[in-house]
Amino acid sequence: MSDAAQPTAAEVRAAAEAVKTALDRHLAAVERRTGDDDTAVYEAFNALAAAAEAYDELLYDRYDEVTPFEIPGADGNLPPYAGPDEPHALSLLIRRDYAVAEPQRLLAQARRVAELGDDADTAVIAKAGVSPLAALGVLFGEYEPDEIASRHKEFGLEEGDSTLWVTAAEELPEPGEWLDAPFDHADPERIVCRFDVSSVFDEEEDEDEDEDEDQPVEAAARGADA
């Protein structure tokens, strides 16, 4: 970064003061907490995180230094719902990841599907049997995503992470409005519910179980009651 583009010392100082103010506000919100889902605490947390991030960036740009702490993001947490109380339309945002675990099985299944098609094309059949890209096009063109999910092993695929967001709207968007960027218009405050599936969660549960096994029985029992 050039000297002309660097933040001034005064800007860094102002950012530091903003962190101090945000920290005081966060503590005050926590002290006045009315429940686990207190909106004021959530908003103060986000303000503190934003102020700390801004200070960290300015500090690095000006002095090539970083802060010794990190405020974690709200991973997996959603902001308070601000959508319609009686939604008249819903959008389901779905992402599923797959690894091609058995390429030969994928090619064989795609070739079989292509051969059974009503408009079987010799060129398509041949390509589906040798090209993974063509094979994927055949399979996902023939089956709904939910069926692929339930039969993924049959198609030589291995499941990765997946997520489903249910968002509420006043009315359906105009036809074709979001097709070029389907996830860009997702408003976190309109998410009714969200379901995530990941092997990370299984690993965390295994780690928790291992830690529990290392604890005395009495301590493990208290944890279970908490």
Side-chain angles (χ1 to χ4, degrees), residues 89-94 167 169 171-186:
L90 295 175
S91 293
L92 304 184
L93 306 181
I94 302 173
T167 65
E171 57 186 17
L172 286 176
E174 293 295 326
E177 180 178 334
W178 51 261
L179 293 179
D180 58 339
F183 289 90
D184 286 358
H185 301 288

Side-chain angles (χ1 to χ4, degrees), residues 110-196:
R111 182 182 178 88
R112 182 184 63 81
V113 170
E115 289 174 340
L116 296 175
D118 294 334
D119 301 321
D121 186 312
T122 303
V124 172
I125 294 172
K127 197 169 184 179
V130 297
S131 167
L133 289 178
L136 290 171
V138 168
L139 291 177
F140 280 88
E142 177 68 20
Y143 299 109
E144 295 290 334
D146 286 344
E147 185 165 5
I148 294 287
S150 64
R151 301 173 58 184
H152 63 277
K153 291 183 179 179
E154 179 183 335
F155 302 134
L157 304 176
E158 181 179 304
E159 285 184 312
D161 288 357
S162 66
T163 187
L164 165 65
W165 300 3
V166 181
T167 65
E170 300 285 359
E171 57 186 17
L172 286 176
E174 293 295 326
E177 180 178 334
W178 51 261
L179 293 179
D180 58 339
F183 289 90
D184 286 358
H185 301 288
D187 184 348
E189 294 187 349
R190 287 178 174 260
I191 296 178
V192 178
C193 52
R194 172 177 172 175
F195 304 96
D196 298 325

Side-chain angles (χ1 to χ4, degrees), residues 67-79:
T67 56
F69 59 89
E70 178 181 357
I71 296 180
D75 294 338
N77 294 329
L78 297 176

Side-chain angles (χ1 to χ4, degrees), residues 178-222:
W178 51 261
L179 293 179
D180 58 339
F183 289 90
D184 286 358
H185 301 288
D187 184 348
E189 294 187 349
R190 287 178 174 260
I191 296 178
V192 178
C193 52
R194 172 177 172 175
F195 304 96
D196 298 325
V197 177
S198 174
S199 59
V200 170
F201 303 142
D202 296 333
E203 293 170 1
E204 291 175 351
E205 290 177 359
D206 291 340
E207 290 175 359
D208 292 341
E209 290 175 359
D210 292 340
E211 291 177 358
D212 289 343
E213 290 175 358
D214 294 335
Q215 300 297 323
V217 174
E218 182 180 356
R222 285 200 300 269

